[in-house]
Amino acid sequence: MGTAVTGCTGGGQERAFSADELLDDAHEAMGTLKTVTVAASTTGTAGGSFSSRLTTDLKGRCTNKITWTAGGSLEQIRIDRTDYVRPDRVYLQRWSGHKATEDQHRWIKTSADQAEPGDGLVDCTWPFTAFGTAKKGERTEVEGRPALALKVADEAGKGETKGMYTFYVATEGKPYLLRVVYKGTDFRSTTTFSAFDEPLGLRAPAAVDILESAYAD
């Protein structure tokens, strides 16, 4: 399975790494990234779902788009302390309560300091931290890349299992996380990582496409 699964001891003998070691190595490898793309989808067991696509330098520069299955989308470009935000017509209708008759294609410029939890905006970071006790699962492929599944129970309260995380770790080349699947009682989600250390290609919208400025430069 390659260097992500086996290694050599001091005596030259090969040994298998434990599930916890493999997961720690994967999170360590992800922590060295300069850029990555994160595509995620979440479905609630009571209905309602959304998806997002984030391309980020994991610091302060990124672009993100979140789309709700029920309708509406919100795009964001963050460049250091400035956000460019573009809600579509359906999103505006849902949040303002007023019917919009025309499509909306322009961006709103605002300070990143004005972003608040729950407003749909991201801060470009992503947590790569191992937790729980991992167990080895099946060998498989994620988008054509060999991977090993590592399962970690999501526990809450008095040890009651609420769900299960499955981490798919690359078994060839660097042990990157390729996908994380969560299945719980309240929701299910799938998060896929790609474009490792590829150029970010990020730029601000053209001035003509900016609707207004919410703060002075």
Side-chain angles (χ1 to χ4, degrees):
M1 292 296 291
T3 58
V5 177
T6 60
C8 291
T9 65
Q13 295 179 332
E14 203 172 61
R15 74 175 180 89
F17 289 110
S18 70
D20 285 335
E21 288 175 321
L22 292 172
L23 194 54
D24 285 341
D25 286 348
H27 283 98
E28 183 177 347
M30 298 299 283
T32 67
L33 288 172
K34 303 300 182 183
T35 63
V36 67
T37 293
V38 185
S41 63
T42 300
T43 301
T45 55
S49 62
F50 62 92
S51 61
S52 63
R53 185 175 181 84
L54 169 71
T55 298
T56 176
D57 69 357
L58 299 168
K59 295 179 180 179
R61 299 169 65 87
C62 62
T63 179
N64 186 61
K65 182 176 182 179
I66 182 169
T67 304
W68 287 266
T69 303
S73 67
L74 181 67
E75 294 179 77
Q76 173 193 3
I77 298 173
R78 174 166 290 188
I79 300 177
D80 300 321
R81 302 314 306 161
T82 300
D83 275 330
Y84 301 90
V85 183
R86 181 163 67 178
D88 70 356
R89 176 174 55 85
V90 177
Y91 180 93
L92 290 173
Q93 288 180 178
R94 290 180 60 189
W95 287 99
S96 70
H98 299 291
K99 185 176 182 180
T101 58
E102 297 181 358
D103 287 337
Q104 202 296 109
H105 299 291
R106 303 180 74 182
W107 298 82
I108 299 171
K109 180 181 178 182
T110 184
S111 170
D113 295 331
Q114 296 182 10
E116 297 180 354
D119 62 8
L121 301 183
V122 299
D123 66 0
C124 302
T125 62
W126 193 273
F128 294 116
T129 305
F131 61 92
T133 301
K135 296 181 179 181
K136 292 182 181 179
E138 70 278 10
R139 300 176 183 181
T140 185
E141 289 188 351
V142 176
E143 298 185 353
R145 297 185 64 171
L148 177 67
L150 302 173
K151 297 182 179 293
V152 178
D154 174 28
E155 296 185 350
K158 298 179 180 179
E160 180 184 0
T161 300
K162 296 294 184 179
M164 179 68 69
Y165 288 93
T166 304
F167 297 84
Y168 293 90
V169 178
T171 57
E172 291 184 358
K174 292 185 178 181
Y176 290 136
L177 283 179
L178 302 179
R179 180 169 293 163
V180 179
V181 176
Y182 176 77
K183 294 182 179 180
T185 56
D186 297 327
F187 70 93
R188 296 184 175 188
S189 67
T190 299
T191 306
T192 302
F193 302 92
S194 63
F196 304 109
D197 282 336
E198 293 187 3
L200 198 58
L202 183 65
R203 64 180 64 184
V208 68
D209 294 325
I210 298 175
L211 183 61
E212 62 182 78
S213 178
Y215 73 105
D217 292 328

